[in-house]
Amino acid sequence: MKSVSVIIPSYNYARYLGEAIDSALGQTLPPLEVIVVDDGSTDDTPHVLATYGDRIHVLRQKNAGVAVARNSGIAAARGEYIAFLDADDVWLPRKLELQMPLFTDSVGLVHCGLEFGTAIQLPRIDGDVANALLLLEPDVIHGPGSTVVVPKRVAEEAGGFDASLPASEDWDFIYRVATRHRVAHVPEPLVRYRKHGSGRHDDIVRMERGMLLAFEKAFASANPALRPRAYARLYRILAASYLESGGVVNFARTAIKYLLSRLRATTGSRGAAKHR
């Protein structure tokens, strides 16, 4: 039987943490261990963790961010596989049971769909998905790290999570894994993703900064021909997000960048076709 270590990074999420832990402990395919990394919490997190006794393994560190917390969990994990769960999300009971049989020698990551409020988001693309990830195709991988399971050796081979990429460390990690391994998915919503309403505009600004850094990193080795299309897609997503949040100035700025990137992509495609 494949052994799974669940890693839950948490920073001041005592109000949600118990529900996340319960959903990990309540899996129909029980994990080998549940590791909670307390990333310097100053709320009631220690009290919540104490109620679980030896049913969980607790790591404590100074606040360093979710990427460092996950890396600490990876280093401490005893399982052959690593499953990530954010402290404010919840797994459905059969998540691990349905994901683990999909691992083969060539599959390095298995993910699933999620519930996002009243919406359900389902992935539809399997296999070699690195380019589709670069192009931010909507049918590849949805949502946060809570959907993802990887072999521990694959997480270590990829170098873990990049702490220099706030708000894009999940995408960057998944992309780096996908450049080396095939990806599989369960086409069911097995994660309940909790979206917080506060600070939405600030979240988009962080996402923009993080994704621009992640793209710069990715295109250091990725196919440069994909660059205009990738940036066009990114700026389109950002413009729509800024418009929805009421950030008119940032909407206009990113909409212009979208149009310019789309023009470059279109011009590049025509030029390539002309020289065939």
Side-chain angles (χ1 to χ4, degrees), residues 155-214:
E156 293 174 335
E157 170 193 281
F161 290 83
D162 189 339
S164 71
L165 300 174
S168 63
E169 59 274 303
D170 286 358
W171 181 90
D172 170 72
F173 175 79
I174 293 168
Y175 173 73
R176 283 184 283 116
V177 171
T179 61
R180 298 172 174 87
H181 303 276
R182 294 175 63 82
V183 169
H185 74 271
V186 178
E188 295 183 31
L190 301 176
V191 175
R192 290 191 179 127
Y193 175 67
R194 197 190 309 266
K195 178 62 179 176
H196 306 288
S198 61
R200 175 160 168 73
H201 180 269
D202 290 340
D203 287 346
I204 302 168
V205 171
R206 289 180 70 249
M207 179 177 74
E208 178 178 359
R209 291 172 181 166
M211 283 305 301
L212 288 174
L213 289 171

Side-chain angles (χ1 to χ4, degrees), residues 70-125:
R70 286 181 183 147
N71 290 341
S72 296
I74 292 170
R78 296 181 292 119
E80 183 184 359
Y81 291 81
I82 305 290
F84 301 102
L85 172 57
D86 288 346
D88 53 342
D89 293 336
V90 174
W91 285 349
L92 272 64
R94 297 185 67 204
K95 180 180 184 291
L96 296 181
E97 175 192 341
L98 295 175
Q99 286 183 297
M100 296 311 298
L102 297 184
F103 279 103
T104 66
D105 290 342
S106 63
V107 170
L109 183 149
V110 176
H111 61 110
C112 63
L114 57 83
E115 296 178 9
F116 185 92
T118 59
I120 292 177
Q121 297 181 344
L122 300 178
R124 294 181 176 87
I125 300 176

Side-chain angles (χ1 to χ4, degrees), residues 15-69:
R15 60 196 183 279
Y16 305 128
L17 183 55
E19 193 176 359
I21 294 173
D22 289 343
S23 74
L25 293 174
Q27 290 292 297
T28 53
L29 177 63
L32 172 68
E33 60 186 351
V34 174
I35 301 172
V36 180
V37 184
D38 180 3
D39 187 34
S41 297
T42 58
D43 63 358
D44 204 30
T45 291
H47 173 74
V48 173
L49 296 176
T51 65
Y52 287 91
D54 60 4
R55 289 187 293 163
I56 63 174
H57 178 203
V58 178
L59 301 177
R60 290 190 169 88
Q61 63 182 37
K62 293 182 179 179
N63 180 244
V66 65
V68 175

Side-chain angles (χ1 to χ4, degrees), residues 248-271:
V248 178
V249 173
N250 280 327
F251 160 71
R253 175 178 57 80
T254 50
I256 291 171
K257 289 187 175 183
Y258 158 65
L259 292 172
L260 291 174
S261 296
R262 184 179 177 185
L263 178 62
R264 293 188 191 100
T266 304
T267 303
S269 297
R270 289 174 180 170

